Amino acid sequence: ADGAYLTVDQMLWRECGGAQDDPQGIGAFFQYGWVDEDVSEVTEHLGAGFSWTGMIPERDDDIAGLGASWVRLSDQAEFVESHETVIEWFYKIQLTPWLSFKPDVQYIVNPSGGGEVDDVLAGTIRVDMIF
């Protein structure tokens, strides 16, 4: 089976200018993946987005993010549509060094390859605890 992937993650702007270890600022990411359709029903993935750490003053560890993801679906499976697209927004609230709360909203076009399912707006809440 053949497949390949590429991930690029780059800080675009830092709040404290030249401080390379400063996590506050705006970053971007890009992802691409490909796999043989004999192996997976998802044959290509393309993702990109931005995140902003410390966007709100006095909330230096919070992270806001916006991203999009597109996948091509295998011709061998019986999908109505050949692709699925997701647009996602989240805001991670760092409550303590060991606890965060992250609401997330996603708009999904052609969920599971379309068919009888309309586009979907989904929301989640994630709680992370480090022990």
Side-chain angles (χ1 to χ4, degrees):
D2 294 324
Y5 68 92
L6 170 71
T7 300
V8 177
D9 195 354
Q10 179 63 47
M11 196 69 156
L12 302 175
W13 171 78
R14 292 185 193 278
E15 186 174 308
C16 293
Q20 293 297 313
D21 61 342
D22 178 21
Q24 293 183 55
I26 298 173
F29 71 90
F30 171 81
Q31 305 165 331
Y32 176 77
W34 170 86
V35 69
D36 186 331
E37 68 182 342
D38 293 332
V39 176
S40 175
E41 292 181 341
V42 174
T43 60
E44 280 185 276
H45 170 256
L46 184 62
F50 298 93
S51 64
W52 189 343
T53 302
M55 179 177 78
I56 297 175
E58 308 302 322
R59 302 289 316 162
D60 294 346
D61 296 322
D62 288 4
I63 304 171
L66 178 66
S69 176
W70 173 87
V71 296
R72 179 181 307 278
L73 303 169
S74 170
D75 292 333
Q76 293 184 6
E78 298 193 20
F79 294 110
V80 173
E81 298 289 339
S82 63
H83 65 279
E84 175 182 279
T85 303
V86 178
I87 299 169
E88 176 180 12
W89 171 86
F90 73 86
Y91 191 85
K92 180 180 178 185
I93 303 163
Q94 194 69 46
L95 299 171
T96 70
W98 56 271
L99 179 65
S100 67
F101 176 81
K102 182 172 138 182
D104 175 283
V105 176
Q106 298 179 5
Y107 183 73
I108 307 167
V109 178
N110 298 329
S112 299
E116 296 181 21
V117 180
D118 293 333
D119 296 351
V120 174
L121 182 64
T124 64
I125 297 175
R126 179 177 177 169
V127 176
D128 287 330
M129 295 177 10
I130 299 171
F131 294 97

